[in-house]
């Protein structure tokens, strides 16, 4: 059974066997004609096809298609002599954005970034991460007011997220006059919340990676973003508000990401250096020359 719709153009195939060597499910093999074939598999996942598309991506002659996808429609690998410099720039020029323009990000840009998240690394390629997306500033303002009122009620009763107290709460209130106009969501016009069901695969890692990739995608599009845990911790104290977001209670949520066009733009990257004491190299003594 070929549920993956694995097909080989025998006129293009050169019999290199790369597709067989990169198949994580081990379901491809070279036939007597030195051409790849797929075993009969009846399911997707660990005991079948992983739906990774590695076979399509690795073929040097574009001879393989899978799931009805055409290899010529794939995005090609960038010139590494240029890509490395661009990636370096994106990493050092990412900043947590806490002030935003009061406008929507173009929905076509948002949808494109969300679609790209299908390609992020995840354990066993299980593709379990789900997303709550608020991509309309008016809907976000409605949600912000609901959550903010509830936050103030809790604070009035002396209830704060773990790790916070009245003093730290008041400090964040003070920052609303300068750094952030909204201590709960930083005034972001949009929210993205990655979440994943617990109990299968690598949920915590997958959800964190999803959020991290999305933030970097925002940087590449000139969109400001901020990863927020204060608001996430407060939502844990607001079950009714959390339920509005329709996040299942058995799902892991690592962060809330606010995003939108930045009100203040930066002119250059920062110059942070990783302290050598934070890097451990095991076996150094054993392999001393």
């Amino acid at each position: 059974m070929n549920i993956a719709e694995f097909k080989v153009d025998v006129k293009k195939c050169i019999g290199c066997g790369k597709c067989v060597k990169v198949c994580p499910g081990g379901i491809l093999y070279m036939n007597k004609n030195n051409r790849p074939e797929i075993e009969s598999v009846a399911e997707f996942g660990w005991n079948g096809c992983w739906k990774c598309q590695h076979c399509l991506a690795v073929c040097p002659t574009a001879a393989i298609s899978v799931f009805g996808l055409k290899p010529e429609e794939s995005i090609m690998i960038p010139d590494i002599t240029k890509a490395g410099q661009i990636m370096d720039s994106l990493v050092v020029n990412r900043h947590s954005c806490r002030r935003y323009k009061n406008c929507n990000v173009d929905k076509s840009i948002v949808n494109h970034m969300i679609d790209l998240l299908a390609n992020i690394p995840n354990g066993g390629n299980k593709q379990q991460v789900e997303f709550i997306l608020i991509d309309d500033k008016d809907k976000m303002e409605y949600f912000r007011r609901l959550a903010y009122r509830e936050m103030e009620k809790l604070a009035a009763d002396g209830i704060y997220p773990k790790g916070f107290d009245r003093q730290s709460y008041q400090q964040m209130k003070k920052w609303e006059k300068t750094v952030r106009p909204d201590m709960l969501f930083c005034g972001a016009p949009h929210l993205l919340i990655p979440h994943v069901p617990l109990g299968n695969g690598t949920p915590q890692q997958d959800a964190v990676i999803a959020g991290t990739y999305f933030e970097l995608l925002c940087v590449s599009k000139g969109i400001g973003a901020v990863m927020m845990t204060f608001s996430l911790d407060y939502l844990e104290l607001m079950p009714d508000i959390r339920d509005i977001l329709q996040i299942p209670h058995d799902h892991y949520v690592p962060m809330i990401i606010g995003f939108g066009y930045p009100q203040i733009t930066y002119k250059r990257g920062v110059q942070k250096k990783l302290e050598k004491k934070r890097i451990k190299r095991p076996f150094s003594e054993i392999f001393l020359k």
Side-chain angles (χ1 to χ4, degrees):
M1 184 180 298
N2 185 4
I3 59 173
E5 300 179 65
F6 178 84
K7 296 179 180 179
V8 180
D9 186 332
V10 294
K11 293 181 179 179
K12 292 182 178 179
C13 179
I14 58 175
C16 66
K18 290 181 179 178
C19 55
V20 174
K21 294 176 181 177
V22 301
C23 176
I27 57 175
L28 300 183
Y29 65 95
M30 302 300 287
N31 62 23
K32 62 181 181 180
N33 297 318
N34 200 37
R35 294 294 182 267
E37 288 190 14
I38 188 171
E39 296 177 3
S40 178
V41 291
E43 64 182 78
F44 294 114
W46 192 263
N47 297 315
C49 173
W50 286 30
K51 301 176 75 172
C52 65
Q53 301 181 33
H54 282 199
C55 53
L56 175 149
V58 78
C59 182
T61 59
I64 293 176
S65 66
V66 65
F67 305 117
L69 303 172
K70 299 177 180 179
E72 59 268 23
E73 295 180 357
S74 293
I75 295 176
M76 301 306 290
I77 296 174
D79 182 346
I80 60 172
T81 61
K82 299 177 181 178
Q85 184 177 358
I86 292 173
M87 188 64 184
D88 291 351
S89 179
L90 289 174
V91 170
V92 300
N93 280 282
R94 62 140 306 277
H95 309 278
S96 292
C97 180
R98 297 181 177 90
R99 300 188 75 89
Y100 297 87
K101 293 180 179 179
N102 184 28
C103 61
N104 287 322
V105 173
D106 188 298
K107 276 190 168 54
S108 65
I109 296 176
V110 177
N111 292 337
H112 177 64
M113 292 193 297
I114 297 298
D115 286 343
L116 288 173
L117 293 180
N119 300 280
I120 62 175
N122 58 102
N125 199 43
K126 294 183 181 298
Q127 300 286 345
Q128 298 183 103
V129 183
E130 301 174 27
F131 302 93
I132 300 299
L133 174 64
I134 301 180
D135 58 357
D136 179 87
K137 68 181 184 66
D138 294 330
K139 293 177 181 177
M140 180 61 210
E141 184 59 26
Y142 173 77
F143 176 66
R144 186 194 328 276
R145 290 176 181 175
L146 287 178
Y148 202 97
R149 282 198 299 265
E150 186 64 22
M151 176 191 72
E152 290 188 312
K153 289 179 183 178
L154 291 169
D157 292 333
I159 301 174
Y160 308 100
K162 185 178 180 180
F164 289 85
D165 54 20
R166 184 177 183 278
Q167 182 178 355
S168 55
Y169 180 87
Q170 290 301 323
Q171 181 69 19
M172 293 189 72
K173 269 284 188 181
K174 179 181 177 182
W175 288 340
E176 288 187 326
K177 298 178 181 179
T178 54
V179 179
R180 63 187 85 192
D182 160 21
M183 63 187 284
L184 194 58
F185 297 115
C186 296
H190 306 313
L191 287 186
L192 182 78
I193 308 176
H195 59 100
V196 62
L198 292 167
N200 189 24
T202 55
Q204 289 92 343
Q205 295 91 329
D206 294 350
V208 170
I209 290 171
T212 304
Y213 267 65
F214 182 77
E215 194 221 26
L216 199 55
L217 282 170
C218 285
V219 179
S220 73
K221 309 293 183 185
I223 297 169
V226 58
M227 295 182 175
M228 301 176 288
T229 54
F230 176 74
S231 53
L232 177 63
D233 291 341
Y234 243 132
L235 283 181
E236 291 296 325
L237 303 174
M238 311 174 185
D240 292 341
I241 302 296
R242 178 183 164 118
D243 287 346
I244 292 175
L245 295 172
Q246 301 178 29
I247 302 174
H249 290 276
D250 62 342
H251 280 213
Y252 173 73
V253 185
M255 68 193 76
I256 293 175
I257 303 172
F259 68 100
Y261 291 122
Q263 189 182 96
I264 300 172
T265 57
Y266 289 77
K267 299 300 182 182
R268 63 197 58 83
V270 297
Q271 301 177 40
K272 298 177 182 179
K273 299 293 182 182
L274 191 62
E275 297 173 333
K276 291 184 178 180
K277 66 180 181 180
R278 293 168 60 190
I279 305 170
K280 307 299 181 184
R281 291 185 169 89
F283 313 120
S284 297
E285 295 181 0
I286 298 176
F287 290 90
L288 282 176
K289 295 182 179 179

